[in-house]
Amino acid sequence: MFFRIVIAVAAVACATTAVIAQSDPIDARRKEMKAMGSHIYGGLNRMQRGQEPFDKAKADAAFVQFAASLAKLPALFPEGSKSGAKPGEEFRTSDKIWTDKKDFEGRFATLAKDAADNRAKVTDVETLKAVYPVLRKSCDGCHETYLIKN
Ligand code: HEC
């Protein structure tokens, strides 16, 4: 009898953990941020600096990623999902995300619009050089305002 209860409790605990793991908004938003980061800090940055040749397909892939990530990101900051409690993390989220929610979400919208409006303009290194800072300033501006270094 006791054994059966233990097994039942363990099964419920496992099921709950699985659901939380799948719907952890902190993990999910970091995944999207990293996906955008691989283009902004990686490929696009190297191409605009002339460290690697301009590749239209690669630039296009970046814009596809921005659109996909930015469609998901605003919903991945629900109330109570403050991050940075774990030791060893480099930054934590500021409470301002939830107190200045309109400004915070507006920044995602601005970036999404800038990305959509400028996608077709990027055809070579020169045009990428012009567009890159427009996008980059949204990333940096939001991080400066809404992230606190641990
Ligand atoms: C509206 C605000 C906002 C914008 C715009 C934004 N970010 Fe972020 N970013 C955040 C927040 C908040 C976090 C921290 C999330 C957390 O850990 O809870 C973050 C975290 C990150 C991380 C760290 C992820 C990790 O786990 O190591 C990277 C990389 C990143 N962002 C890249 C970008 C790039 C690239 C752009 C622009 C294309 C961008 N972000 C635009 C708010 C923003």
Side-chain angles (χ1 to χ4, degrees), residues 25 29 74-82 95 97-99 101:
R29 70 200 184 207
L76 295 176
F77 289 87
E79 290 288 337
S81 67
K82 198 172 158 171
D95 286 337
I97 290 175
W98 295 279
T99 55
K101 197 143 180 90

Side-chain angles (χ1 to χ4, degrees), residues 65-82:
Q65 184 66 58
F66 297 149
S69 292
L70 291 163
K72 293 182 204 158
L73 274 163
L76 295 176
F77 289 87
E79 290 288 337
S81 67
K82 198 172 158 171

Side-chain angles (χ1 to χ4, degrees), residues 131-145:
V131 166
Y132 182 84
V134 175
L135 307 178
R136 179 68 188 258
K137 77 170 180 338
S138 269
C139 316
D140 294 349
C142 188
H143 295 160
E144 276 157 26
T145 315

Side-chain angles (χ1 to χ4, degrees), residues 26 29-31 33-34 36-38 40-41 66 70 73 77 81-84 91-93 97 103-105 107-108 111 135-136 138-140 142-143 146-147:
I26 298 177
R29 70 200 184 207
R30 287 181 173 176
K31 213 177 115 233
M33 290 288 177
K34 279 182 187 158
M36 294 200 297
S38 72
I40 282 284
Y41 309 129
F66 297 149
L70 291 163
L73 274 163
F77 289 87
S81 67
K82 198 172 158 171
S83 65
F91 52 79
R92 60 202 148 90
T93 46
I97 290 175
D103 174 77
F104 182 74
E105 289 183 344
R107 289 167 186 261
F108 282 134
L111 176 56
L135 307 178
R136 179 68 188 258
S138 269
C139 316
D140 294 349
C142 188
H143 295 160
Y146 291 101
L147 280 185

